[in-house]
Amino acid sequence: MARPSWDRYFMDIAGLLCSRSVCLRNHVGALLVAEKRILATGYNGPPRGLPHCDETGCLRDTMKVPSGQRHELCRGLHAEQNAIIQAAAHGVRIPEGACLYSTHFPCSLCAKMLINAGVGRVVYAEGYPDELARDLLAQAKVELLHLPPE
């Protein structure tokens, strides 16, 4: 068996992280990496201690909100947000130029957070319908790499 590239290795970990998601619509996993070291991980779901979406139902489904729109109408946090929050909660510095590996392309809210956190590269497996996110990341000169599942 051939050894996976570093990008494939970390993307496979993102794929495992999404198995922890309790979102009824989409399972997303993400991790922040610098110098081939995992800094923090995240997956999408409600804030800690709050009921999971399978207990409360999906507000976005109830309101028929299309994917990529009205991000504020969700009880959950995105995987990218949770990775940044986990780094902060545990005193882990996200160095300038760090890389985010994610099962999905970030939304515009997450893109803004990633830019301000100093992330310089985003590797993602699946797209997401948010052109503003793509524009923001391009303006910030964040390198993007689409690495679909094998």
Side-chain angles (χ1 to χ4, degrees), residues 5-21 26-33 38 40-44 78-80 83 99-105 122-126 145 147-149:
S5 68
W6 284 108
D7 284 337
R8 176 58 57 202
Y9 171 74
F10 290 123
M11 187 57 72
D12 287 350
I13 294 171
L16 180 61
L17 290 167
C18 77
S19 69
R20 292 284 305 155
S21 171
N26 217 353
H27 293 247
V28 181
L31 62 153
L32 290 164
V33 173
I38 296 171
T41 64
Y43 52 88
N44 57 329
H78 291 185
E80 303 92 331
C99 182
L100 175 88
Y101 290 87
S102 181
T103 56
H104 292 71
F105 192 84
V122 172
V123 180
Y124 64 98
E126 295 185 36
L145 174 62
L147 186 62

Side-chain angles (χ1 to χ4, degrees), residues 39-87:
L39 305 173
T41 64
Y43 52 88
N44 57 329
R48 66 179 173 179
L50 297 186
H52 291 173
C53 300
D54 60 356
E55 300 171 63
T56 63
C58 177
L59 178 62
R60 293 174 62 81
D61 277 349
T62 302
M63 298 178 75
K64 297 181 180 12
V65 178
S67 185
Q69 297 178 19
R70 304 291 314 269
H71 298 102
E72 76 280 5
L73 296 176
C74 180
R75 297 181 69 252
L77 291 109
H78 291 185
E80 303 92 331
Q81 294 167 343
N82 272 326
I84 293 168
I85 291 166
Q86 285 303 308

